[in-house]
Amino acid sequence: MADKIIRIGTRDSELALWQAHTVQQQLHDLGYKTEIVAVKSQGDILLDKPLYELGITGIFTKTLDIAMLNGQVDIAVHSMKDVPTALPIGIVQAAVLERADVVDILAHKGGLTFLEQDAIIATGSLRRQAQWLNKYPNHTVVDLRGNVNTRLQKLTDNEWNGAVFAAAGLERLGFISDKMIKSPTFEGIGEALDWMIPAPAQGAMVVLAMADDAFILDALSQLNHIETEICTYIERQFLRTLEGGCTAPIGAIATYNETAETFDFTGVLLSIDGQQKLEIHKTVDVSQWKKLGYELAQELLAQGGTALMAEIKKSLQK
């Protein structure tokens, strides 16, 4: 088995390939042989509709799931926030890498006077749309799809005031430094949106593998970052309990306080138009993390979340 080549499945976008090469390097450092197998997902091909209209769970992950189940690749590397909370039978979460920056970034061409005026902001995320409209109800939010470079190009080409990106993606591609964004398709400013609650597992990379492949599972276990694994578990448990899927306006962030030995959690659920917002905060002892996401989601559901989730699902089915 020492000569076994680990086939790393990935989407073929620049960011996805960066993530795959990062996993490849870490495996090489441990002495494993690898090769990268890039495939195009439906989420990368179908760019003319908002994600929630496509009605496919795990649109960015399904193609790689099939490739793994068919034996074409051994592992799949994903942005963890894109991965459905329920994995296909036979596939397991094998490693969560140390998390990058979790914040969202507003990319704009300079000057923020538009924040107090009528403005147009672009994002393909219902979570970002809802939180933006909650804070700036007079603004218009338009859909924005494609890889990072494509989205930045659209921001250059359109008369939009700004667009929202994950800081982790911009940083991994080397597009942002000291609030300055510079890519092949855009030059401008990046403002950290500290008030915006990130997507569950934002900034984290996950590696999936087949449940019965002991060699692969042992190799990947050496890449796992336990603190990130626990924090993302809490956030995804919150998401799963709310039954949100990847596209609902749900934000969640858990952080570990090493000094106090506690976990801090903030979760949010909004209506799609941002007019309704339910938020919950809690700090618990480190020993209480296993059911934290579930319990806080249940609290939120009892405080009006059940009715709000029903409204969201109804509107997404129209």
Side-chain angles (χ1 to χ4, degrees), residues 14-58:
E14 188 177 3
L15 180 56
L17 287 167
W18 183 95
Q19 294 177 158
H21 283 294
T22 298
V23 171
Q24 181 180 51
Q25 186 60 56
Q26 291 190 21
L27 286 171
H28 281 185
D29 290 344
L30 293 168
Y32 293 97
K33 298 176 181 177
T34 69
E35 67 176 357
I36 288 179
V37 180
V39 298
K40 193 174 286 291
S41 77
Q42 285 178 289
D44 293 314
I45 297 167
L46 303 173
L47 299 178
D48 58 341
K49 288 186 176 181
L51 285 178
Y52 61 84
E53 287 186 9
L54 296 174
I56 304 171
T57 301

Side-chain angles (χ1 to χ4, degrees), residues 62-104:
K62 183 174 280 190
T63 305
L64 287 175
D65 290 342
I66 293 168
M68 196 152 37
L69 291 166
N70 287 341
Q72 297 167 278
V73 300
D74 299 302
I75 67 176
V77 183
H78 297 291
S79 292
M80 198 175 188
K81 67 177 183 178
D82 293 336
V83 178
T85 54
L87 297 176
I89 294 171
I91 293 177
V92 296
Q93 175 180 305
V96 184
L97 276 62
E98 185 172 2
R99 195 174 213 167
D101 197 341
V102 302
V103 304
D104 288 302

